[in-house]
Amino acid sequence: MRCEGTVYRPPSEAYSLIVQATIGCSQNRCTFCSMYKEKNFRIRRTENIIEDLILGRQEYSKVERIFLADGDALIIKTEELLKILEAIKTIFPECKRVGIYGSPKSILGKSTKELIELRKLGLGIVYLGVESGSDLILEKIKKGVNSFEMIAAGRKIKEADILLSITLISGLGGKEHSMEHVVESARVVNEMNPDYIGLLTLLVEEGTEFYDDVLNGKFKLLTPKEVLLETREFVKRLNVDNCIFRSNHASNYVALGGTLNKDKNLILAQIEEGLKMEGLEEEEIFRRL
């Protein structure tokens, strides 16, 4: 398959055929993120995307899931996305789901009717990076939207009957704003009621604004124990229905998982076990593997 630069995908798309529909991320200003900094954002020509789908068909006899990369491919005009989805149906009739990253702005830029049209042609899940529900923190990390817009974007995906998978980042408020991060993030999640929650833990990447803030003392990182305590307070405040919760990314200190609200006590018990573990600080190197 043809690709440009490093290609990223959600953990749940590990066995998907990945096709770049955009190069880079339309936002690409978030202070903590280093993923697409080497790329200048652009939307690929639809005919080139379809060519890659044909190449994928030649390579693989069975493809049940396809992920349209890079960051924020949902920003593509609806008429072009419909052409891509129609091509997927023709080339991969066995495909059960197409996934895509969607920024809050790209979601809000589409009508519910447009999103329903995309869903009918196979768009099954949208991955939305919420990161935090705090307006203060969202502004600090240059996310480009506030919590009201974030909630509206999440609700719009749900209204279109498309699966909504969101990510948040533990420790993103640092020591100073940890509790605000917890309370406001839980508020936003509860108002969205997503289908999936992925909780990552902050990794400070060299070359980002965040890295510089940590070096010069402007941002105080949480310790592993403080991350778990923050996670415990966050989970306690969640009130969602039939939502799969995962905190098992390589960035996390302790693997957590369950379905909320049903398994809330189980997840809290997992956190308590993690708090009893010794040597969490020694595991720091493994969070990047």
Side-chain angles (χ1 to χ4, degrees):
M1 294 296 297
R2 300 181 297 187
C3 65
E4 182 175 326
T6 304
V7 178
Y8 300 92
R9 48 88 182 156
S12 57
E13 300 289 347
Y15 300 103
S16 302
L17 173 65
I18 301 177
V19 176
Q20 282 181 305
T22 63
I23 305 299
C25 175
S26 63
Q27 172 69 3
N28 207 23
R29 294 178 63 241
C30 296
T31 61
F32 63 88
C33 182
S34 64
M35 285 170 56
Y36 302 107
K37 291 298 187 281
E38 83 283 5
K39 298 179 181 181
N40 293 318
F41 178 77
R42 72 179 191 277
I43 297 171
R44 296 186 66 209
R45 295 172 64 88
T46 300
E47 51 264 41
N48 292 338
I49 297 168
I50 294 174
E51 286 174 5
D52 281 356
L53 290 168
I54 294 170
L55 289 173
R57 176 79 289 174
Q58 295 170 355
E59 187 75 20
Y60 302 104
S61 60
K62 186 177 182 180
V63 173
E64 295 190 342
R65 291 187 179 183
I66 292 175
F67 180 71
L68 297 176
D70 273 336
D72 196 23
L74 192 64
I75 200 172
I76 297 171
K77 290 182 179 179
T78 300
E79 61 189 84
E80 298 304 316
L81 275 175
L82 290 172
K83 291 177 186 177
I84 295 166
L85 292 170
E86 285 171 351
I88 289 173
K89 277 195 170 295
T90 300
I91 300 167
F92 299 96
E94 76 278 15
C95 182
K96 297 178 180 178
R97 190 180 83 183
V98 178
I100 199 167
Y101 279 130
S103 72
K105 287 185 176 179
S106 69
I107 294 170
L108 294 174
K110 286 181 166 41
S111 67
T112 302
K113 181 181 177 181
E114 287 177 294
L115 291 169
I116 290 172
E117 289 177 351
L118 294 171
R119 188 251 299 162
K120 287 180 177 179
L121 272 178
L123 182 62
I125 187 167
V126 172
Y127 298 91
L128 170 63
V130 174
E131 328 308 1
S132 176
S134 161
D135 287 328
L136 173 66
I137 295 171
L138 289 172
E139 183 177 0
K140 282 180 176 292
I141 65 173
K142 300 182 180 178
K143 189 68 181 177
V145 293
N146 58 34
S147 62
F148 177 83
E149 293 167 310
M150 194 73 78
I151 292 167
R155 285 180 170 176
K156 183 172 274 192
I157 295 299
K158 295 283 288 182
E159 288 169 8
D161 201 22
I162 298 172
L163 292 174
L164 174 64
S165 179
I166 67 170
T167 54
L168 296 104
I169 303 177
S170 295
L172 195 58
K175 293 182 183 292
E176 185 178 2
H177 301 295
S178 178
M179 204 60 201
E180 175 168 347
H181 180 47
V182 164
V183 172
E184 293 302 295
S185 294
R187 174 184 64 84
V188 166
V189 172
N190 291 341
E191 294 196 41
M192 283 185 180
N193 195 33
D195 299 284
Y196 300 91
I197 299 172
L199 186 62
L200 314 179
T201 301
L202 179 64
L203 276 173
V204 182
E205 301 285 353
E206 191 171 355
T208 63
E209 290 183 50
F210 226 100
Y211 183 85
D212 295 336
D213 286 345
V214 172
L215 281 186
N216 61 32
K218 289 183 179 179
F219 186 91
K220 302 294 184 183
L221 293 168
L222 299 186
T223 66
K225 183 176 180 180
E226 287 171 335
V227 167
L228 286 176
L229 290 171
E230 183 182 272
T231 302
R232 184 177 68 183
E233 294 307 310
F234 171 66
V235 172
K236 282 182 179 179
R237 287 168 170 77
L238 291 178
N239 184 22
V240 289
D241 181 44
N242 197 31
C243 175
I244 296 174
F245 175 87
R246 293 286 184 269
S247 184
N248 56 2
H249 185 263
S251 67
N252 299 123
Y253 293 104
V254 176
L256 308 171
T259 301
L260 295 167
N261 279 330
K262 178 172 68 73
D263 297 328
K264 180 181 284 191
N265 289 336
L266 171 64
I267 295 169
L268 290 173
Q270 292 170 348
I271 295 171
E272 293 301 328
E273 287 301 311
L275 287 168
K276 296 175 185 176
M277 293 172 58
E278 297 181 1
L280 280 177
E281 285 81 359
E282 298 171 5
E283 300 296 315
E284 183 68 24
I285 187 173
F286 297 109
R287 293 206 300 135
R288 298 181 184 273
L289 300 181

